[in-house]
Amino acid sequence: MGKKNDNTLVKNASFLMVAALISKIIGLIYKSPLSSTMGKESFGCFQFAQNVYFILLMIASFSIPQAVSKIMAERLAFKRYRDAQKIFKGALLYAVVVGGAVAIVCVAGAPILVPERMANARLALQFLAPTIFLSGILGVFRGYFQAYRNMLPTSISQIVEQTAVAVVALVMANFMVHHFADAPENTLRSWSAAGATMGTGAGVLTALLFMLFVYQVNRRGIQKKIAKDRVSVDESYRAVMKTLILIMAPILLSAFLYNVNGYINSMIYTTISGVKGMKSSVVEGLYAECGFFLTIINIPLTLSSTAPTSMMPEVSAAYARGDILTVKEKINKATWLSMFISIPCSVGLFALAGPVTKLLFATTDGTAGRLMMLGVITVIMNGMSNISNGVLQGIGKANLPMIHAAIALGVDVVVMTVLMFATNLGIYTVVIAMIVYALVMCVLNDRSMKKELGYENPWKEAYLPSFLASVPMGLAAFLSYQGLHAVLKSNFLALIPAIVLGAGIYFVVYLAAAKPDAETLAGVPGGVVLAKISRKLHLVK
């Protein structure tokens, strides 16, 4: 039974990981021509508006899928289908009320939320208000199916969403650039950024329509389970809303604190840069470079967050039954899966930072590549802290990540402010502050997991094999790129073979170091094919 549950966890995590990978690749591909179409300064405004929007989304809906899946999973573990359905309906009401309120703040508060040095981003932020409202409702439906351990609807909706985002953003940005071509520079930048953000709204609306369709298809089967339910305690809607608020509030606040550092860092950077006399166009340009770096690094960051998302219902259900051993097994499995992806991604991006950023963003002046080399360590640390956040929330200790995030945020702000005033590091201070924040979160969360569960991080099993395999991978990728580029004089033709060679070396060395069985390998995206090849080469049992 335990093995079956492990396979379910890995399968669900793999669904989310593949969908997240496809979504982020789509996002990466479309942002490259988008930045060229808009220009670096307009792209910087677009990126800043997205940053503020992301924080408002934290408040309105970001952790709703996790919260809904956790609360419903605890009831579904005891076959309380009617009580679980009440949680779903109560969550919809919560999403409508909170999402509507935050959307109003987005429109009315744009002049306050966006500093003067980034004033051209204000219109783009206001265009995102309807998206904030719809995102909460979408989050409830995603959490609903995650509670039933069905990650496929969420996975498909993410791909559908990102596809719509890409198409509409490119079309509308191009339209705005041509329509306002003869307008003043600030007007052009403002409307170009606003046009690009329209893609985000189109994506969320498309994904919501898809989830409504899936819900309608599954509705009859769910209603049958509810009709046969004889164990629900028939919680009142007052009790349901109280439970939702008590659970969602700390999770949402924790998510807000966990992610608000990016917005605060950008505010500190733009404000102090203005005090130092830096021109708005220069600030916008450097912030665009940071945006290039963040766009690329968000792919492995997103992949590392899928394991805790799929793990949370499993951990909550096991903890509710008092099965601590199963809880620890789920954590170990999620940690292994996260590190299997995030460690080689970090090393690979460090080794090929310059070539990758130049290939994807032709307008970069090289700053994005240097930011990448400095900041890739956050992929590993965020993977670790995302898992520990999910665990602590899953066992009902959501207040702990919230407290840890507040402490990390305080350290982050102090480091960011001191470095901005005392040094000339400029945009690099944003990445340094990210590293400090992630490190503090990892240390504090790890201490809490040891205290609450007696849990010890599986360093030898989950971390060491991936690290040992990533070092030769990075060296091979770097050296092969340099050699090929010297001969071919083409970034693209040198980069692709270097990536393929590096990936091949990683998997071979990993198999030799970790010696996983074929069933374990089959649980990762593309693992079935990898397991077959490994068997033929006698690299796995």
Side-chain angles (χ1 to χ4, degrees), residues 325-361:
L325 180 61
T326 298
V327 170
K328 292 181 179 181
E329 289 175 353
K330 301 299 180 186
I331 301 170
N332 286 343
K333 182 69 72 171
T335 302
W336 167 77
L337 187 58
S338 180
M339 293 303 111
F340 181 79
I341 300 295
S342 60
I343 291 176
C345 284
S346 299
V347 175
L349 286 174
F350 178 85
L352 300 172
V356 168
T357 53
K358 287 177 185 176
L359 176 67
L360 297 172
F361 297 100

Coordinates of all heavy atoms in Angstrom, one line a residue, residues 325-361:
L325 N 5.3 7.9 10.1 CA 6.2 7.2 9.2 C 5.9 7.5 7.7 O 6.9 7.8 6.9 CB 6.2 5.7 9.5 CG 7.2 4.9 8.6 CD1 8.6 5.3 8.9 CD2 7.0 3.4 8.9
T326 N 4.7 7.4 7.4 CA 4.3 7.7 6.0 C 4.5 9.2 5.6 O 5.0 9.5 4.5 CB 2.8 7.4 5.8 OG1 2.6 6.0 6.0 CG2 2.3 7.7 4.3
V327 N 4.3 10.1 6.6 CA 4.6 11.5 6.4 C 6.1 11.7 6.0 O 6.4 12.4 5.0 CB 4.3 12.3 7.6 CG1 4.8 13.7 7.5 CG2 2.7 12.3 7.9
K328 N 7.0 11.0 6.8 CA 8.4 11.2 6.5 C 8.8 10.6 5.1 O 9.6 11.1 4.4 CB 9.2 10.5 7.6 CG 9.1 11.2 9.0 CD 9.9 10.5 10.0 CE 9.9 11.2 11.4 NZ 10.7 10.6 12.4
E329 N 8.1 9.5 4.8 CA 8.4 8.8 3.5 C 8.0 9.8 2.4 O 8.7 9.9 1.3 CB 7.7 7.5 3.4 CG 8.2 6.4 4.3 CD 7.4 5.1 4.2 OE1 6.3 5.2 3.6 OE2 7.8 4.1 4.8
K330 N 6.8 10.4 2.5 CA 6.4 11.4 1.5 C 7.3 12.6 1.3 O 7.6 13.0 0.2 CB 5.0 11.9 1.8 CG 3.9 10.8 1.9 CD 3.7 10.1 0.7 CE 2.6 9.0 0.8 NZ 2.5 8.1 -0.4
I331 N 7.8 13.0 2.5 CA 8.8 14.2 2.4 C 10.0 13.8 1.7 O 10.6 14.5 0.9 CB 9.1 14.7 3.9 CG1 7.8 15.1 4.6 CG2 10.1 15.8 3.8 CD1 8.0 15.4 6.0
N332 N 10.5 12.6 2.0 CA 11.8 12.1 1.4 C 11.6 12.0 -0.1 O 12.5 12.3 -0.9 CB 12.2 10.7 2.0 CG 12.8 10.9 3.4 OD1 13.2 12.0 3.8 ND2 12.8 9.8 4.1
K333 N 10.5 11.4 -0.5 CA 10.2 11.3 -1.9 C 10.1 12.6 -2.7 O 10.7 12.8 -3.7 CB 8.9 10.5 -2.1 CG 8.5 10.2 -3.6 CD 9.4 9.2 -4.2 CE 9.2 7.8 -3.7 NZ 10.0 6.8 -4.4
A334 N 9.4 13.6 -2.0 CA 9.3 14.9 -2.6 C 10.7 15.6 -2.7 O 11.0 16.3 -3.7 CB 8.3 15.7 -1.9
T335 N 11.5 15.4 -1.7 CA 12.8 16.0 -1.6 C 13.7 15.4 -2.7 O 14.4 16.2 -3.4 CB 13.5 15.8 -0.2 OG1 12.6 16.4 0.8 CG2 14.8 16.5 -0.2
W336 N 13.7 14.1 -2.8 CA 14.5 13.5 -3.9 C 14.1 14.0 -5.3 O 14.9 14.4 -6.1 CB 14.3 12.0 -3.8 CG 14.8 11.3 -5.0 CD1 16.1 11.0 -5.3 CD2 14.0 10.8 -6.2 NE1 16.2 10.4 -6.6 CE2 15.0 10.3 -7.1 CE3 12.7 10.8 -6.5 CZ2 14.5 9.8 -8.3 CZ3 12.3 10.3 -7.7 CH2 13.2 9.8 -8.6
L337 N 12.8 14.1 -5.5 CA 12.3 14.5 -6.8 C 12.7 16.0 -7.1 O 13.1 16.3 -8.2 CB 10.8 14.4 -6.9 CG 10.1 14.6 -8.2 CD1 10.7 13.7 -9.3 CD2 8.6 14.4 -8.1
S338 N 12.6 16.8 -6.1 CA 12.9 18.2 -6.2 C 14.4 18.4 -6.5 O 14.8 19.2 -7.4 CB 12.5 19.0 -5.0 OG 12.8 20.4 -5.1
M339 N 15.3 17.7 -5.7 CA 16.7 17.9 -5.9 C 17.2 17.2 -7.2 O 18.2 17.7 -7.8 CB 17.4 17.3 -4.7 CG 17.2 18.1 -3.4 SD 17.7 19.8 -3.5 CE 16.1 20.6 -3.4
F340 N 16.6 16.2 -7.6 CA 16.9 15.5 -8.9 C 16.8 16.5 -10.1 O 17.6 16.4 -11.0 CB 16.0 14.3 -9.1 CG 16.3 13.5 -10.4 CD1 17.3 12.6 -10.4 CD2 15.5 13.7 -11.5 CE1 17.6 11.9 -11.6 CE2 15.8 13.0 -12.7 CZ 16.8 12.1 -12.7
I341 N 15.9 17.5 -9.9 CA 15.7 18.5 -11.0 C 16.5 19.7 -10.7 O 17.2 20.3 -11.6 CB 14.2 18.8 -11.2 CG1 13.4 17.5 -11.5 CG2 14.0 19.9 -12.2 CD1 13.8 17.0 -12.9
S342 N 16.4 20.3 -9.5 CA 16.9 21.6 -9.2 C 18.4 21.7 -9.1 O 19.0 22.7 -9.6 CB 16.3 22.2 -7.9 OG 16.6 21.3 -6.8
I343 N 19.1 20.7 -8.6 CA 20.6 20.8 -8.5 C 21.2 20.8 -9.9 O 22.0 21.7 -10.2 CB 21.1 19.6 -7.7 CG1 20.7 19.8 -6.2 CG2 22.7 19.6 -7.8 CD1 21.1 18.7 -5.3
P344 N 20.9 19.9 -10.8 CA 21.5 20.0 -12.2 C 21.1 21.3 -12.9 O 21.9 21.8 -13.7 CB 21.0 18.8 -12.9 CG 19.8 18.3 -12.2 CD 20.1 18.7 -10.7
C345 N 19.9 21.7 -12.7 CA 19.4 23.0 -13.4 C 20.3 24.2 -12.9 O 20.7 25.0 -13.7 CB 18.0 23.3 -13.1 SG 16.8 22.3 -14.0
S346 N 20.6 24.2 -11.6 CA 21.4 25.3 -11.0 C 22.8 25.3 -11.6 O 23.3 26.3 -12.1 CB 21.4 25.2 -9.5 OG 20.2 25.3 -9.0
V347 N 23.4 24.1 -11.6 CA 24.8 24.0 -12.1 C 24.9 24.2 -13.6 O 25.8 24.9 -14.1 CB 25.3 22.6 -11.8 CG1 26.7 22.4 -12.4 CG2 25.4 22.3 -10.3
G348 N 23.9 23.7 -14.3 CA 23.9 24.0 -15.8 C 23.7 25.4 -16.1 O 24.4 25.9 -17.0
L349 N 22.8 26.1 -15.4 CA 22.6 27.5 -15.7 C 23.8 28.4 -15.3 O 24.1 29.4 -15.9 CB 21.4 28.0 -15.0 CG 20.0 27.6 -15.6 CD1 18.9 28.0 -14.7 CD2 19.8 28.2 -17.0
F350 N 24.5 28.0 -14.3 CA 25.8 28.6 -13.9 C 26.8 28.5 -15.0 O 27.5 29.5 -15.3 CB 26.3 28.1 -12.5 CG 27.6 28.7 -12.1 CD1 27.6 29.9 -11.4 CD2 28.8 28.1 -12.4 CE1 28.8 30.5 -11.0 CE2 30.0 28.7 -12.0 CZ 30.0 29.9 -11.3
A351 N 27.0 27.3 -15.5 CA 28.0 27.0 -16.5 C 27.7 27.7 -17.8 O 28.7 28.1 -18.5 CB 28.1 25.5 -16.7
L352 N 26.5 27.8 -18.2 CA 26.1 28.4 -19.5 C 25.3 29.6 -19.4 O 24.5 30.0 -20.2 CB 25.3 27.3 -20.3 CG 26.1 26.0 -20.5 CD1 25.1 25.0 -21.1 CD2 27.2 26.2 -21.5
A353 N 25.5 30.4 -18.3 CA 24.6 31.6 -18.0 C 24.7 32.6 -19.2 O 23.6 33.0 -19.7 CB 25.1 32.3 -16.7
G354 N 25.9 33.0 -19.6 CA 26.0 34.0 -20.7 C 25.4 33.5 -22.0 O 24.6 34.2 -22.6
P355 N 25.7 32.3 -22.5 CA 25.2 31.9 -23.7 C 23.6 31.7 -23.7 O 23.0 32.1 -24.7 CB 25.8 30.5 -23.9 CG 27.1 30.6 -23.2 CD 26.8 31.5 -22.0
V356 N 23.1 31.2 -22.6 CA 21.6 31.0 -22.5 C 20.9 32.4 -22.5 O 19.9 32.5 -23.3 CB 21.3 30.3 -21.2 CG1 19.8 30.3 -20.9 CG2 21.8 28.8 -21.3
T357 N 21.4 33.4 -21.8 CA 20.7 34.7 -21.7 C 20.8 35.4 -23.1 O 19.9 36.0 -23.6 CB 21.3 35.6 -20.6 OG1 22.7 35.6 -20.7 CG2 20.9 35.0 -19.3
K358 N 22.0 35.2 -23.8 CA 22.1 35.9 -25.1 C 21.2 35.2 -26.1 O 20.7 35.9 -27.0 CB 23.6 35.8 -25.5 CG 24.5 36.7 -24.7 CD 26.0 36.5 -25.1 CE 26.9 37.3 -24.3 NZ 28.4 37.1 -24.6
L359 N 21.1 33.9 -26.0 CA 20.2 33.2 -27.0 C 18.7 33.6 -26.8 O 18.0 33.9 -27.8 CB 20.3 31.7 -26.8 CG 19.4 30.9 -27.7 CD1 19.8 31.0 -29.2 CD2 19.5 29.4 -27.2
L360 N 18.3 33.7 -25.6 CA 16.9 34.0 -25.3 C 16.5 35.5 -25.3 O 15.4 35.8 -25.7 CB 16.5 33.4 -24.0 CG 16.6 31.8 -23.9 CD1 16.4 31.4 -22.5 CD2 15.6 31.2 -24.9
F361 N 17.4 36.3 -25.0 CA 17.2 37.8 -24.9 C 18.3 38.5 -25.6 O 19.3 38.8 -25.0 CB 17.0 38.2 -23.5 CG 15.9 37.6 -22.7 CD1 16.0 36.5 -21.9 CD2 14.6 38.1 -23.0 CE1 15.0 35.9 -21.2 CE2 13.5 37.5 -22.3 CZ 13.7 36.4 -21.4

